[in-house]
Amino acid sequence: MRHRLGLITLALILGAGTARAALLPFELGADFRSDWYWRGYTLTESSVIQPWISAPVGAGGLSVTVRGSFALQDRDLNEAADRLDLTLGYRKGLGVLWKPLYLTAGFTNYWYMNAADDETTQEVYLGAGASLPFVDASLTAYRDVNVVDATYL
């Protein structure tokens, strides 16, 4: 039941974004992976799909991103890894002369749809990067503020 609710929520979000595309520009995509490792842990060794949608909030560098992660194989073994992430992020360029350089900060809620509620966690992040002609390079530090007492780069 929780899995269906998550998929329905994701479908509604994607549908709402499509209907408002003329009013609110957004990015939409999906990543396919043959297995899924996250923060040094194996979440599943089966294929996953990770659909996402990201939209700006106003004109000041604030954005909202929703990303799902769903196992495509061996559902009976891997559905506990299904996750829906909600991120509120901020990106700020560093002025005219340093335009390729930017800072980022944000908050992410990770919701494991088929797991116990105490496995849902949140992270804050802070990063810096550079948008160069052929590459976008960045370094970001993530700090879990709920379940795991850890910081990740």
Side-chain angles (χ1 to χ4, degrees), residues 73-129:
Q73 300 170 314
D74 302 323
R75 293 286 308 152
D76 54 333
L77 297 174
N78 294 311
E79 73 175 352
D82 289 351
R83 192 174 83 193
L84 196 60
D85 308 342
L86 178 61
T87 300
L88 180 61
Y90 180 74
R91 179 175 168 148
K92 174 71 175 163
L94 295 180
V96 176
L97 294 176
W98 297 95
K99 190 171 183 177
L101 302 178
Y102 60 86
L103 299 175
T104 60
F107 174 85
T108 302
N109 183 72
Y110 299 101
W111 175 45
Y112 289 91
M113 296 179 285
N114 297 305
D117 287 337
D118 62 350
E119 293 180 27
T120 293
T121 193
Q122 296 81 35
E123 287 181 345
V124 293
Y125 66 89
L126 183 62

Side-chain angles (χ1 to χ4, degrees), residues 16-28 52-59 62-65:
T18 302
R20 297 185 58 191
L23 300 175
L24 179 67
F26 62 92
E27 295 180 10
L28 174 67
W52 56 269
I53 184 169
S54 184
V57 178
L62 199 59
S63 66
V64 173
T65 302

Side-chain angles (χ1 to χ4, degrees), residues 30-35 47-51 72:
D31 300 320
F32 295 91
R33 303 186 187 282
S34 60
D35 49 19
S47 300
V48 296
I49 184 172
Q50 296 179 319
L72 296 175

